[in-house]
Amino acid sequence: MVYCHPSREAFNAAVLDAALEGLHEGGHEVRVTDLYASGFDPVFSATDHANHLADDVDRADIAGHIEDLRWCESLVLVYPTWWAGQPAMLKGWIDRVWVNGVAWTLPPGRRRVRPLLRSIRRITVVTTHGSSKLINALEGEGGKRMVTRSMRMLCACTCRTHWIAMYTVDTSTELQRAQFLLRVRMRLAA
Amino acid sequence: MRATVVVVHPSPASFTHSCAAAAVRGLQRAGHQVTTLDLYAMGFQPAMSAAEHHAYHGEEPVVDPLVAESVAAVRQAEMLVFVYPTWWSGLPAMLKGWLEKTMVPGVAFVFDGRGKVRPGLQSVRQIVGISSYGSSRTFVAAVNDNGRRTLMRALRLNTGWRTKRLWLPMYSIDSSSVERRSAFVSSVEKAMVAL
């Protein structure tokens, strides 16, 4: 479970709790990464860039993230959709953690990457859209293709993706939000 | 025209920076006034903080001085040029965060007298995107170009449907020759002169 939101008071925190409840009810073993709380640096650095295609790179700074990715069979991303996609913090996690030797490898002489996250059989996204962010509403399922195509290609061949989204959160009623939380819990317990 | 060029790459010696320099040269040759925002060099922090998230819906959504600088550059712009590498079929986190923090209510969009949302950047008449891709043209077409979609469609909602768009892509960068790269850089400069 990778959670991305700067505020602990936001609706996304309740979404996280509902997702965790569901996963526990389903008997799943869960590891949670809270990107903001853990002080993750989303900025792909000059060093990251220099090491982009290199082998035997020291990845001590993201070792915990790598270990979790290799351990997991089901990846759950919880985040608000901003500007039709993942917030910068989460995009940065993908930029910096889904790297050569972790998510993919490029064998010498080959032009296509080989997937390395073969144990991941399921990717679930739980995301919210706020109505005041007009762009997101008009763009529809933001960031979806990146998950269902680019990321899924590096997982198990039979990896399935699940998309659980709520729209117009900013003008939603308490009942609507409660219904969404229940839906999240039930989907993740399955 | 007043052009604001947003460059995004951690290495100053990168292909991205060569393209940006060529774009600036071309724009200046054509007589445009250029403001450059080099996000990495500025030390821009892309992750929206709790304070900024809280302030988003309030009177003063701009909290960070680097965001204020960006807002000023964008408000006076008649042309926006983005130069960046496409990572994971989309914008690097740095640029994504810049959009999230800069294109806030009151800047990117405004509410009119009847509470309806209107574009806030109507002086922008041209948006240019210059991006390099690890993947080939066919692969990008199959997976979808999220960066292009965001800048050419989503951002254009903030500038108005009349805004002209130009996209200059360089595919298969990792296996490209020095000749192809420098040909592309020259074509960027020529394209900016011709705008």
Side-chain angles (χ1 to χ4, degrees):
Chain A
M1 166 92 72
V2 178
Y3 172 69
C4 178
H5 202 285
S7 165
R8 285 302 181 77
E9 281 88 45
F11 179 55
N12 263 264
V15 172
L16 171 67
D17 290 337
L20 282 172
E21 265 178 54
L23 288 170
H24 288 309
E25 270 167 36
H28 303 290
E29 206 187 324
V30 188
R31 290 187 190 177
V32 183
T33 294
D34 180 330
L35 293 175
Y36 271 92
S38 65
F40 185 77
D41 178 3
V43 178
F44 195 83
S45 67
T47 311
D48 289 334
H49 184 254
N51 289 335
H52 159 66
L53 289 170
D55 296 315
D56 290 332
V57 176
D58 175 19
R59 302 215 187 267
D61 56 334
I62 53 167
H65 295 275
I66 295 173
E67 215 252 292
D68 287 344
L69 267 184
R70 287 176 175 158
W71 166 86
C72 93
E73 295 161 315
S74 168
L75 178 65
V76 182
L77 304 177
V78 179
Y79 63 91
T81 289
W82 290 345
W83 271 84
Q86 291 75 16
M89 175 65 93
L90 181 56
K91 179 57 171 43
W93 178 77
I94 295 157
D95 288 342
R96 295 194 59 231
V97 176
W98 284 61
V99 292
N100 180 21
V102 177
W104 53 272
T105 180
L106 187 60
R110 299 287 303 280
R111 297 192 68 180
R112 275 237 195 99
V113 296
R114 205 160 58 81
L116 288 181
L117 294 173
R118 291 255 180 71
S119 51
I120 300 181
R121 299 193 304 247
R122 184 191 283 197
I123 303 177
T124 305
V125 166
V126 187
T127 190
T128 56
H129 303 248
S131 65
S132 66
K133 293 181 171 83
L134 175 72
I135 306 302
N136 297 307
L138 287 173
E139 277 291 314
E141 312 288 352
K144 199 171 184 180
R145 282 185 185 85
M146 190 194 67
V147 175
T148 61
R149 298 183 193 184
S150 306
M151 288 171 75
R152 184 164 50 157
M153 267 173 21
L154 302 180
C155 299
C157 316
T158 52
C159 181
R160 304 205 38 199
T161 54
H162 301 271
W163 199 266
I164 310 170
M166 176 164 177
Y167 299 92
T168 57
V169 172
D170 292 351
T171 50
S172 61
T173 62
E174 227 181 284
L175 177 62
Q176 285 168 327
R177 289 195 294 279
Q179 284 171 334
F180 179 68
L181 293 178
L182 183 61
R183 181 155 66 99
V184 169
R185 210 179 100 199
M186 284 171 53
R187 291 276 308 261
L188 284 164
Chain B
M1 280 199 271
R2 292 185 298 273
T4 291
V5 177
V6 181
V7 191
V8 189
H9 200 286
S11 311
S14 58
F15 179 71
T16 297
H17 274 87
S18 303
C19 291
V24 171
R25 273 197 309 273
L27 289 166
Q28 287 172 336
R29 272 172 58 192
H32 303 296
Q33 288 163 260
V34 183
T35 301
T36 303
L37 296 175
D38 183 331
L39 301 187
Y40 272 87
M42 283 162 74
F44 194 87
Q45 299 297 307
M48 188 180 281
S49 67
E52 286 167 322
H53 182 256
H54 186 73
Y56 187 89
H57 296 292
E59 286 294 315
E60 194 40 74
V62 176
V63 170
D64 177 342
L66 291 179
V67 175
E69 189 183 328
S70 299
V71 165
V74 160
R75 272 191 170 138
Q76 54 92 43
E78 294 161 302
M79 185 189 315
L80 292 176
V81 181
F82 296 94
V83 194
Y84 70 93
T86 291
W87 292 340
W88 290 93
S89 76
L91 307 175
M94 177 66 91
L95 182 52
K96 182 65 174 25
W98 181 86
L99 279 175
E100 289 163 5
K101 290 173 57 156
T102 306
M103 301 299 172
V104 294
V107 177
F109 52 96
V110 292
F111 292 95
D112 69 11
R114 291 165 302 160
K116 295 208 77 182
V117 174
R118 293 269 171 261
L121 296 172
Q122 285 177 337
S123 50
V124 173
R125 291 180 272 152
Q126 173 85 53
I127 299 177
V128 179
I130 303 167
S131 189
S132 60
Y133 303 76
S135 308
S136 66
R137 181 190 299 266
T138 40
F139 188 84
V140 171
V143 169
N144 182 242
D145 190 337
N146 293 304
R148 182 172 182 167
R149 180 183 280 251
T150 302
L151 295 175
M152 299 276 103
R153 287 201 208 173
L155 178 57
R156 208 161 68 112
L157 289 168
N158 295 149
T159 61
W161 61 271
R162 280 200 201 88
T163 308
K164 296 202 284 189
R165 301 169 294 174
L166 175 64
W167 194 261
L168 300 172
M170 167 87 176
Y171 299 107
S172 306
I173 182 97
D174 294 325
S175 55
S176 64
S177 63
V178 171
E179 289 80 20
R180 188 159 74 90
R181 289 197 296 279
S182 58
F184 182 78
V185 171
S186 305
S187 72
V188 165
E189 185 172 344
K190 289 197 187 83
M192 294 301 101
V193 171
L195 273 178

